[in-house]
Amino acid sequence: MDTPVKDQSGTPLGGLAALPLVATASVAADAPDAVAQLAAALGAGPFALVILFASPAADIRGLAASAAFGLAPVIGCTTAGEISGEGYSEGQIVAVGLPAAHFAADPILIRDLGALDGQRLINTLIRSRQDLMRQHPVWDSEFAFLMVDGLSIREDELASALASGLGPVPLFGGSAGDGTRFKETFVLHGGEVLQNAAVLAMVRTDCRVRVFNLDHLVPTETRMVVTEAEPARRIVRRINAEPAAREYARLLGKDPAQLTTFTFAAHPVVVRIGGKHHVRAIQQVAENGDLVFFSAIDEGLVLTLAEPQDMVAHLERELAALSQGGAPAAIIACDCILRRMEALEKQKSGAVSALLRRHRVAGFSTYGEQLNSMHVNQTMTGVAIYPPERQGGGRV
């Protein structure tokens, strides 16, 4: 029996339908002819860009090599879970198609993140933006979407470098995942599958767009200082001059042997930058008791323990706010794996999925998120895409 392919509402698709403002579909990663099924579900296009969020269980190289999407440029990455028409999903490939009638895109491959040429990258971004403006001078909305190898340890440096070339263009993105294995992550560009690389899509559209970032964490009065670290590897060896995992566990009132990914999701640490707190999420405990982080860390950094608000109520408020004045046609989102873990631990996955489904969210769970010049953790970041305004007022 064929595996059902579903649109963003979760409805099985059969045959071609009118192309929506943003086309989405999902299929089981191990389905026969998965890519062909996705292409048929998205519709004939033409598409300015096709984005694939693929479970690590998918045939990643076969996915990249497929010509099923015709002339449309194809980019993508592996995930730590997918967001489909059903909400939180596992073992899926989610496809997002941006129709050429409303979008223009220039996907830029950034190879070898360990040898970034900042000035060359800035020049590339400026040229790309100018080209898109020349092609569509009447369209006035733009954003940049980034997917980056989630085990490269280069996201902080990359986000900072990109900001210098993007100017007023808002950026959001996510770090590719590998489920909960943390062994290998990939990005896709054209027919290539790459590691230690990133793909940036410059997008111009006649749709109104809003790039956003949200989290439900509140800082407490409990603070700690990183007293020994290896910043290049995002490793903290000592906190408050004590072995890192043991001291973190002590502050939580837990045994160090009890520390798990669920613990890190429920008890994150944050740093204050520019008047705002940003999460520095813990990825895992090393065998020697060091703490391995998802983002930049350094000696002397003051960490503040944070506690989560009610995840479902907070997400409902934030997504409702995006619909004030009119609901988005679609939301493309990068959602930290630790948010998914928290929802699972607190038995709120169903309620979160219902909200994601209702608000037409498609995307993936990440090993970290990017917002403008920053690499962040334990957030949802994304773009809400609204119907374009009609000439003379009103919406299409």
Side-chain angles (χ1 to χ4, degrees):
M1 187 174 75
D2 290 339
T3 303
V5 185
K6 299 179 179 181
D7 67 10
Q8 189 60 16
S9 68
T11 304
L13 295 175
L16 298 177
L19 197 65
L21 189 64
V22 176
T24 61
S26 64
V27 66
D30 60 356
D33 301 320
V35 186
Q37 293 186 51
L38 283 173
L42 285 185
F47 293 105
L49 185 69
V50 173
I51 308 168
L52 302 176
F53 304 115
S55 162
D59 176 6
I60 305 301
R61 286 174 174 79
L63 194 62
S66 174
F69 299 103
L71 298 177
V74 178
I75 62 175
C77 69
T78 53
T79 75
E82 303 77 54
I83 303 175
S84 70
E86 297 176 354
Y88 278 153
S89 303
E90 296 279 353
Q92 298 279 307
I93 305 170
V94 175
V96 177
L98 302 181
H102 296 284
F103 298 88
D106 180 17
I108 299 167
L109 176 61
I110 305 169
R111 299 180 185 272
D112 192 1
L113 297 178
L116 276 177
D117 185 333
Q119 189 56 55
R120 183 177 180 181
L121 183 57
I122 289 170
N123 293 341
T124 298
L125 298 179
I126 292 173
R127 283 196 301 270
S128 175
R129 187 181 182 216
Q130 290 174 341
D131 287 345
L132 291 174
M133 290 173 69
R134 280 194 294 268
Q135 294 168 23
H136 297 279
V138 178
W139 295 358
D140 57 5
S141 292
E142 51 191 344
F143 64 88
F145 171 51
L146 178 69
M147 290 178 286
V148 55
D149 181 344
L151 296 177
S152 65
I153 320 181
R154 296 290 181 178
E155 297 102 319
D156 300 273
E157 178 186 358
L158 177 61
S160 178
L162 289 171
S164 299
L166 287 172
V169 180
L171 175 143
F172 80 99
S175 301
D178 179 34
T180 56
R181 291 180 291 272
F182 303 105
K183 291 184 177 179
E184 54 181 9
T185 59
F186 300 95
V187 296
L188 287 63
H189 179 274
E192 295 187 87
V193 176
L194 304 107
Q195 292 179 291
N196 194 36
V199 180
L200 179 79
M202 299 287 287
V203 180
R204 193 169 181 87
T205 176
D206 67 344
C207 298
R208 184 169 61 91
V209 299
R210 178 179 172 187
V211 169
F212 68 92
N213 176 263
L214 60 89
D215 73 71
H216 61 301
L217 305 171
V218 178
T220 69
E221 296 300 316
T222 303
R223 293 179 175 81
M224 61 198 89
V225 179
V226 177
T227 49
E228 185 180 342
E230 189 177 344
R233 297 172 59 197
R234 296 177 178 168
I235 291 174
V236 171
R237 301 199 186 285
R238 288 185 173 269
I239 292 173
N240 297 339
E242 298 291 338
R246 190 172 72 192
E247 179 68 359
Y248 172 75
R250 183 190 70 80
L251 292 169
L252 297 181
K254 293 182 177 290
D255 187 309
Q258 296 177 316
L259 298 180
T260 67
T261 304
F262 294 108
T263 310
F264 307 143
H267 305 282
V269 293
V270 299
V271 297
R272 190 171 180 84
I273 302 173
K276 184 178 179 181
H277 284 92
H278 299 276
V279 177
R280 288 292 181 263
I282 302 168
Q283 181 188 115
Q284 57 187 321
V285 180
E287 291 183 3
N288 63 358
D290 293 344
L291 291 177
V292 182
F293 280 70
F294 274 114
S295 54
I297 207 77
D298 206 349
E299 291 180 4
L301 203 62
V302 177
L303 304 176
T304 300
L305 194 66
E307 296 294 340
Q309 303 174 63
D310 183 271
M311 186 181 196
V312 175
H314 180 270
L315 183 61
E316 186 168 26
R317 288 196 305 270
E318 293 290 328
L319 292 179
L322 290 175
S323 293
Q324 289 181 357
I331 295 173
I332 303 173
C334 305
D335 189 53
C336 185
I337 184 177
L338 294 176
R339 290 174 54 86
R340 182 181 287 240
M341 290 294 183
E342 181 186 341
L344 181 64
E345 182 187 32
K346 296 181 177 178
Q347 299 183 338
K348 294 185 176 182
S349 293
V352 171
S353 289
L355 286 171
L356 297 173
R357 183 167 59 246
R358 187 196 316 162
H359 290 272
R360 303 174 184 174
V361 180
F364 75 112
S365 290
T366 76
Y367 282 178
E369 306 79 60
Q370 293 80 49
L371 179 72
N372 297 323
S373 64
M374 296 194 65
H375 172 59
V376 294
N377 299 123
Q378 210 153 339
T379 74
M380 175 187 285
T381 185
V383 62
I385 301 172
Y386 301 84
E389 300 290 335
R390 293 182 183 273
Q391 290 186 352
R395 293 186 176 180
V396 174

